[in-house]
Amino acid sequence: MFRGSCKHVTRVELLSPEDLERLLLEHLRNNLLPECFLYTGKEGAQNWFSLDLSNNFLVTSSLTALFKRSLPELGLILGSGFELVSVGVGNGVKERLLLERVSGKFFHYYPVDVSSQMIDKSLEEAEPLQLSITAMVALIEDLPVIATYWNTPVLFCLLGNSFSNYDSDTLLKLIRENLRDHDLFLFDCSLLNPHTRGANLWELEKSCYTAETVRFNTWPLISRGVASDSIDFHIELTLSTSPAGPAYRIRKSITFSEAGTVVCGCGSVDFRQGEKIELGSTYRFSSEQVLKLLRLYDFEVIRTWANEDGSNLLVLARG
């Protein structure tokens, strides 16, 4: 656990390790493995950090490059007196860059993540800034509780392509219900490239799923007793509906080529040969669809930034 020298750190665990194991067991019994469980535990966090640094995984690096290019203007737009809330904070690098850029404008920092190890990493990043911090181990679904800790106005951040990993309807309703009139919403997402469609998009998506990515997605099962050669990882590109119109959806699943048992801290689940577990999905919207989604949920777009090829977007909106 982080034991640094930030100005003042309060640590809040809305979810204990035992809670996470219990929730994982419940989901596995329904043949589901939600995205959040890929990051939990020491190994889950380390697998993500390794993938994040991989030359084969360009999503996070390209989004970080866009964020860095946008920082000077973003710093000018942001007023003072805000509290910074970042859900799915990960390693906290973007948040540290933002806090450095707008030094003195933020009164309090709330790094939030389902992974206790990632909370530790984000606190290490923030340590030199001497901030007052409330670090929270929680899910984004806990947002109504998280919101009771902050004081408005806040800059609510959802960075690292997290926006694309949730059902947009559910996600934006949740965020809108917990932000007030003067709160701001900052998020980034990987877009449907305007020059890539159909078969070309499929080839591009498949190229991103390397051995490191497969390990990251299957580790929650392997670390709980399933042999790596008894499961197969799959991705499927589908066209799904959304409030903003048809959108591409990359669906992930794991199929048992042999029978296996997943052992959680509080129980176990048996899987038959051929049985499938559904993982999370990633959505690919166009920039126009992202802006339409925001309008549908009464967000006012203040500024957008995009990279040169139109494959990534950073949005600042008012709640």
Side-chain angles (χ1 to χ4, degrees):
M1 181 180 290
F2 172 79
R3 301 186 184 277
S5 57
C6 291
K7 183 177 179 181
H8 180 70
V9 176
T10 301
R11 196 178 184 107
V12 177
E13 287 197 354
L14 298 184
L15 289 167
S16 68
E18 293 76 22
D19 291 331
L20 288 169
E21 285 293 291
R22 176 180 52 79
L23 288 171
L24 175 59
L25 185 65
E26 290 175 4
H27 285 294
L28 288 174
R29 284 172 174 164
N30 291 301
N31 292 80
L32 298 173
L33 177 56
E35 195 83 7
C36 60
F37 293 104
L38 306 184
Y39 302 88
T40 57
K42 182 178 179 181
E43 295 88 354
Q46 189 55 56
N47 286 342
W48 170 248
F49 293 141
S50 299
L51 182 61
D52 192 28
L53 295 172
S54 171
N55 293 328
N56 297 319
F57 191 71
L58 302 179
V59 173
T60 54
S61 61
S62 59
L63 286 170
T64 300
L66 173 61
F67 188 80
K68 288 179 178 178
R69 289 199 301 272
S70 308
L71 266 178
E73 187 177 0
L74 179 60
L76 292 173
I77 293 173
L78 291 174
S80 60
F82 281 85
E83 296 192 340
L84 177 63
V85 180
S86 185
V87 175
V89 69
N91 59 20
V93 169
K94 290 179 183 176
E95 291 77 5
R96 189 252 306 160
L97 292 171
L98 176 59
L99 289 164
E100 287 176 339
R101 169 63 63 172
V102 297
S103 178
K105 287 189 176 183
F106 288 104
F107 290 152
H108 204 95
Y109 173 36
Y110 300 81
V112 182
D113 206 287
V114 69
S115 167
S116 180
Q117 288 75 19
M118 291 194 181
I119 289 295
D120 288 342
K121 186 67 175 176
S122 69
L123 290 174
E124 290 174 9
E125 283 289 328
E127 183 177 6
L129 303 178
Q130 291 295 297
L131 289 165
S132 292
I133 299 174
T134 300
M136 306 184 74
V137 179
L139 295 163
I140 194 167
E141 289 82 359
D142 296 315
L143 195 54
V145 179
I146 298 168
T148 65
Y149 285 82
W150 74 53
N151 296 297
T152 194
V154 300
L155 174 63
F156 180 84
C157 296
L158 194 66
L159 300 170
N161 203 39
S162 294
F163 178 87
S164 302
N165 293 330
Y166 292 93
D167 172 77
S168 59
D169 189 40
T170 304
L171 177 67
L172 290 174
K173 279 182 180 176
L174 177 65
I175 295 172
R176 190 66 189 87
E177 288 169 356
N178 288 281
L179 296 187
R180 300 296 176 257
D181 289 344
H182 298 292
D183 295 337
L184 300 179
F185 177 29
L186 180 69
F187 69 95
D188 57 14
C189 57
S190 181
L191 296 172
L192 176 64
N193 191 305
H195 307 295
T196 307
R197 291 289 191 277
N200 290 334
L201 176 63
W202 178 232
E203 290 302 319
L204 179 63
E205 292 295 342
K206 283 197 298 183
S207 70
C208 297
Y209 285 87
T210 62
E212 295 161 308
T213 311
V214 173
R215 175 183 169 83
F216 174 65
N217 282 274
T218 57
W219 187 252
L221 303 186
I222 295 170
S223 64
R224 292 171 173 85
V226 175
S228 59
D229 58 359
S230 69
I231 52 176
D232 298 311
F233 176 70
H234 304 279
I235 60 171
E236 178 186 10
L237 181 67
T238 62
L239 196 59
S240 64
T241 59
S242 81
Y248 282 104
R249 180 182 183 185
I250 299 97
R251 306 183 68 156
K252 302 184 293 182
S253 64
I254 296 172
T255 302
F256 282 78
S257 56
E258 301 175 13
T261 299
V262 182
V263 180
C264 295
C266 49
S268 63
V269 188
D270 295 323
F271 291 93
R272 302 181 304 275
Q273 182 181 14
E275 199 165 357
K276 181 186 289 187
I277 295 175
E278 297 288 344
L279 283 76
S281 296
T282 299
Y283 294 86
R284 289 283 185 263
F285 296 106
S286 67
S287 58
E288 293 81 7
Q289 286 178 312
V290 172
L291 300 180
K292 182 177 180 179
L293 287 168
L294 291 171
R295 290 194 298 269
L296 286 171
Y297 294 98
D298 296 323
F299 286 95
E300 175 194 349
V301 176
I302 299 172
R303 180 73 167 87
T304 64
W305 296 265
N307 58 352
E308 292 180 357
D309 66 0
S311 61
N312 292 306
L313 185 69
L314 177 69
V315 180
L316 178 65
R318 182 175 287 110

